[in-house]
């Protein structure tokens, strides 16, 4: 495929076929992503790859934490505060605080994008249960056969996050080129402890986010194309 076509075709994929991703294909994608630029070639990232039984176990833990924390958030205030202090279901993310409501225009874009997605999924805005169930799917990586987790060394400050983002985009474009689909998932950065059970993560490395990877199926949700900024919103005018 032409690069222009790959860029235009890539969209976040949230429904996958059962087809496995071979180690050969996965390694090819990762080797391509390793061609990414990084600050002074520091490459301050590492990834953990979960497949099969490991992916299932992590998904089980994450979903359990999601539903229990969701129930805690619905409790009246004093009880909620107590549970928040004592429950192992509360977020243990490496990068805190987790953004609740986004600031300014970003929340508007987030809501518009979310509403567009719910429309395709047939979920009504007021149907909190269906929205929660959709959110929960994040934690089983939308049933993708591979879940990737991205870590950076924060001693490299903001450059580590820039470098990890570029790495992720190279990976997502390479995957699109080979007929695979991806969804970057900030949701997979909310709980770190389920990953420590399965991977020997070097202590300096902090979890940024995850990514679902697999072969897209023909579910309509994969056709969703949220609106992007116009050039006039993007480019800062001169004085
Ligand atoms: C860093 C990052 C985190 C994201 N986290 C999630 C997530 O947790 N769940 C999800 O469904 N999509 C997630 N997305 C996908 C975005 O919602 C998506 O990229 C955006 O709506 C634009 O759609 P597109 O990727 O199809 O162009 C994330 C994307 C990025 C780059």
């Amino acid at each position: 495929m032409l690069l222009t076509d790959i860029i235009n075709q890539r969209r976040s994929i949230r429904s996958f076929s059962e087809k496995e991703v071979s180690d050969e294909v996965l390694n090819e994608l990762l080797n391509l992503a390793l061609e990414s630029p990084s600050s002074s070639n520091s490459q301050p990232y590492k990834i953990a790859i979960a497949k099969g039984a490991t992916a299932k176990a992590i998904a089980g833990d994450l979903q359990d934490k999601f539903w229990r924390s969701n129930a805690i958030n619905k409790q009246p205030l004093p009880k909620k505060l107590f549970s928040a202090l004592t429950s192992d279901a509360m977020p243990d993310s490496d990068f805190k605080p987790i953004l609740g409501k986004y600031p300014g225009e970003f929340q508007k874009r987030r809501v518009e994008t979310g509403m567009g997605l719910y429309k395709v999924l047939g979920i009504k805005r007021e149907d909190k249960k269906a929205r929660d169930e959709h959110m929960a799917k994040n934690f089983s990586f939308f049933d993708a056969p591979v879940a990737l987790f991205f870590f950076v060394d924060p001693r490299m400050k903001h450059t580590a996050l820039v470098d990890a983002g570029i790495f992720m985009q190279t990976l997502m474009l390479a995957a699109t080129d080979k007929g695979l689909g991806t969804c970057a998932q900030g949701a997979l950065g909310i709980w770190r402890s389920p990953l420590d059970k399965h991977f020997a993560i070097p202590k300096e490395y902090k979890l940024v986010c995850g990514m679902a990877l697999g072969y897209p199926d023909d579910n309509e949700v994969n056709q969703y194309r949220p609106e992007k900024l116009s050039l006039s919103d993007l480019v800062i005018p001169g004085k």
Side-chain angles (χ1 to χ4, degrees), residues 92-96 151 189-192 205-208:
D92 56 11
S93 54
D94 284 333
F95 287 94
K96 292 192 184 69
F151 297 82
I190 299 177
W191 289 281
R192 152 94 191 230
Y205 279 77
K206 304 293 178 209
L207 174 63
V208 180

Side-chain angles (χ1 to χ4, degrees), residues 10-12 14 113 117 134-135 138 142 168 172 183-188 209 224-226 228:
R10 185 218 58 80
R11 277 299 169 271
S12 291
R14 298 184 179 88
T113 302
L117 187 62
H134 171 72
M135 186 62 192
N138 271 280
F142 303 109
M168 289 172 66
M172 292 192 281
C183 186
Q185 292 187 262
L188 298 181
C209 66
Y224 178 48
R225 295 182 71 87
K228 305 290 178 174

Side-chain angles (χ1 to χ4, degrees), residues 1-236:
M1 265 200 276
L2 286 175
L3 180 60
T4 321
D5 295 331
I6 299 167
I7 292 170
N8 280 319
Q9 196 180 305
R10 185 218 58 80
R11 277 299 169 271
S12 291
I13 295 300
R14 298 184 179 88
S15 188
F16 293 87
S17 82
E18 285 178 5
K19 185 175 170 187
E20 292 298 325
V21 179
S22 69
D23 286 345
E24 195 191 353
V25 167
L26 183 55
N27 290 343
E28 189 182 356
L29 297 179
L30 295 175
N31 276 317
L32 284 165
L34 280 170
E35 294 299 328
S36 302
S38 67
S39 182
S40 296
N41 205 29
S42 53
Q43 304 165 83
Y45 30 66
K46 285 191 183 290
I47 63 167
I49 303 168
K51 297 169 83 171
T54 306
K56 271 206 169 57
I58 293 170
D61 277 355
L62 289 174
Q63 290 209 329
D64 172 61
K65 285 184 189 290
F66 168 71
W67 284 115
R68 285 194 294 126
S69 68
N70 188 274
I72 289 170
N73 285 330
K74 288 177 180 148
Q75 290 174 339
L77 199 58
K79 216 173 163 201
K80 181 172 159 177
L81 280 177
F82 177 75
S83 304
L85 290 171
T86 54
S87 171
D88 71 344
M90 296 320 284
D92 56 11
S93 54
D94 284 333
F95 287 94
K96 292 192 184 69
I98 294 169
L99 273 184
K101 193 173 174 186
Y102 287 7
E105 78 244 48
F106 308 117
Q107 181 67 13
K108 186 171 162 272
R109 290 179 198 155
R110 178 196 215 179
V111 170
E112 278 169 8
T113 302
M115 287 304 126
L117 187 62
Y118 292 144
K119 196 170 171 201
V120 179
L121 290 165
I123 297 174
K124 294 212 164 60
R125 187 178 187 156
E126 58 280 8
D127 190 348
K128 184 81 176 68
K129 184 168 170 279
R131 283 166 52 190
D132 284 349
E133 276 161 7
H134 171 72
M135 186 62 192
K137 288 188 182 167
N138 271 280
F139 302 108
S140 58
F141 334 118
F142 303 109
D143 291 332
V146 181
L148 302 172
F149 297 89
F150 297 83
F151 297 82
V152 296
D153 188 328
R155 290 176 301 173
M156 287 301 293
K157 308 291 179 196
H158 69 282
T159 63
L161 295 172
V162 174
D163 295 342
I166 293 172
F167 180 93
M168 289 172 66
Q169 174 71 341
T170 309
L171 181 59
M172 292 192 281
L173 294 179
T176 307
D177 184 41
K178 307 267 177 246
L180 287 95
T182 56
C183 186
Q185 292 187 262
L188 298 181
I190 299 177
W191 289 281
R192 152 94 191 230
S193 45
L195 298 174
D196 286 308
K197 280 194 200 171
H198 298 272
F199 300 101
I201 303 158
K203 70 172 181 353
E204 308 77 24
Y205 279 77
K206 304 293 178 209
L207 174 63
V208 180
C209 66
M211 185 186 289
L213 173 76
Y215 292 91
D217 69 12
D218 56 9
N219 191 307
E220 220 185 318
V221 71
N222 291 337
Q223 304 305 319
Y224 178 48
R225 295 182 71 87
E227 206 177 311
K228 305 290 178 174
L229 292 184
S230 63
L231 277 188
S232 59
D233 284 330
L234 174 73
V235 180
I236 300 169

